[in-house]
């Protein structure tokens, strides 16, 4: 059978997508032992896990980009889940990092606007997960800043305010939320979760992956494996199994 004929006979194979939208913590998530790579491995043959992390970005910039990533013409039923993971840059201290800083109220409004946009293109609230910024280990991040000739430009207390705002937006919008800032500090020293005080270490990636999977598993567990297991293909008439 010619390839063109086979294509005409068979239905278009469309993998559902899980879209990861965020800053550098998302961009780096496909590195070795990254939380995005973990999800992709868990969902192979069920979903494409799409990395749309953009290092250094804040919600002010992200809200402008989101409609260019997920458009009205995008089939909403093909998107299984979307994570929105910003705040580590928004919460930078204004006087020391004015370029990335976004005021707290605007940050909340931007998150809410992005959720409302997704809903407007028929991505329902149960498919949206907000993720708060992780806690900041100030002494480690200060070393990174000093190495670049800068002063410590973030604080854990301020990051916590942004995390609380993220949780509140999720509550108001009816979406799920993963409160990393709180969970990572619960009854433990959180420094081992971070590689440089801000970004995730291998342990931090594993922690986030496990927490996120516990929320995604119920949403995605019913998705079938795409294409039959190889032992189930009729080798004498593969067209019957595959088209």
């Amino acid at each position: 059978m010619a390839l063109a004929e086979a294509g005409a006979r068979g239905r278009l194979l469309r993998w559902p997508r899980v879209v990861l939208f965020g800053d550098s913590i998302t961009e780096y998530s496909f590195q070795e032992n990254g939380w995005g790579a973990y999800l992709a491995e868990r969902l192979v043959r069920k979903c494409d896990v799409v990395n749309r992390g953009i290092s250094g970005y804040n919600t002010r910039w992200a809200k402008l980009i989101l409609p260019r990533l997920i458009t009205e013409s995008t089939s909403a039923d093909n998107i299984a889940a979307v994570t929105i993971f910003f705040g580590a840059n928004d919460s930078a201290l204004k006087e020391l990092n004015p370029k990335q800083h976004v005021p707290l109220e605007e940050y909340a409004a931007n998150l809410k606007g992005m959720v409302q946009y997704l809903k407007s293109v028929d991505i329902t609230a149960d498919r949206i997960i907000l993720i708060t910024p992780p806690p900041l280990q100030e002494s480690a991040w200060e070393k990174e800043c000093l190495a670049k000739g800068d002063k410590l430009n973030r604080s854990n207390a301020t990051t916590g305010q942004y995390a609380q705002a993220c949780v509140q937006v999720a509550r108001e919008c009816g979406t799920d939320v993963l409160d990393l800032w709180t969970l990572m500090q619960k009854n433990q020293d959180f420094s081992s979760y971070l590689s440089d005080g801000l970004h995730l270490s291998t342990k931090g990636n594993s922690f986030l992956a496990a927490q996120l999977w516990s929320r995604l598993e119920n949403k995605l567990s019913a998705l079938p494996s795409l294409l039959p297991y190889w032992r189930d293909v009729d080798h004498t008439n593969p067209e019957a199994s595959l088209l």
Side-chain angles (χ1 to χ4, degrees), residues 7 113 116:
Q116 290 170 342

Side-chain angles (χ1 to χ4, degrees), residues 19-215:
V19 181
L20 311 180
F21 186 42
D23 53 34
S24 58
I25 304 176
T26 297
E27 182 175 326
Y28 301 161
S29 72
F30 271 38
Q31 293 179 351
E32 186 176 6
N33 298 316
W35 61 273
Y38 173 92
L39 291 179
E41 182 180 9
R42 282 295 185 100
L43 292 169
V44 68
R45 286 186 56 184
K46 289 187 174 230
C47 285
D48 283 337
V49 179
V50 182
N51 187 333
R52 293 294 180 262
I54 311 160
S55 179
Y57 274 51
N58 57 30
T59 56
R60 182 180 292 165
W61 305 342
K63 73 174 183 179
L64 300 177
I65 294 166
L66 183 58
R68 298 174 63 197
L69 299 177
I70 300 174
T71 67
E72 290 190 54
S73 61
T74 304
S75 179
D77 61 5
N78 200 41
I79 294 182
V82 179
T83 61
I84 300 177
F85 188 4
F86 288 95
N89 298 316
D90 298 70
S91 60
L93 302 175
K94 182 179 180 180
E95 62 275 16
L96 295 171
N97 190 347
K99 184 164 186 173
Q100 291 179 302
H101 169 80
V102 171
L104 184 61
E105 288 186 5
E106 183 188 343
Y107 167 74
N110 291 340
L111 284 180
K112 188 176 293 186
M114 286 190 276
V115 172
Q116 290 170 342
Y117 171 75
L118 291 175
K119 289 180 178 179
S120 78
V121 294
D122 296 326
I123 297 172
T124 51
D126 62 314
R127 286 182 278 166
I128 302 168
I129 301 176
L130 299 186
I131 306 176
T132 77
L136 181 82
Q137 216 286 315
E138 293 179 14
S139 58
W141 184 243
E142 185 173 26
K143 290 179 183 177
E144 297 290 321
C145 294
L146 292 173
K148 298 174 184 175
D150 299 324
K151 295 179 180 179
L152 177 64
N153 57 20
R154 289 163 169 79
S155 80
N156 191 39
T158 301
T159 302
Q161 294 175 349
Y162 283 70
Q164 291 169 13
C166 180
V167 171
Q168 182 60 33
V169 168
R171 187 176 296 125
E172 293 173 2
C173 293
T175 71
D176 204 347
V177 64
L178 175 50
D179 185 359
L180 270 191
W181 190 85
T182 298
L183 289 170
M184 283 186 166
Q185 294 183 89
K186 200 170 184 179
N187 304 320
Q188 58 199 324
D189 173 17
F190 64 87
S191 60
S192 62
Y193 289 128
L194 304 168
S195 61
D196 57 5
L198 176 69
H199 300 96
L200 301 180
S201 63
T202 297
K203 183 178 178 182
N205 272 282
S206 295
F207 182 86
L208 171 51
Q211 293 288 333
L212 189 54
W213 181 248
S214 71
R215 289 160 171 78

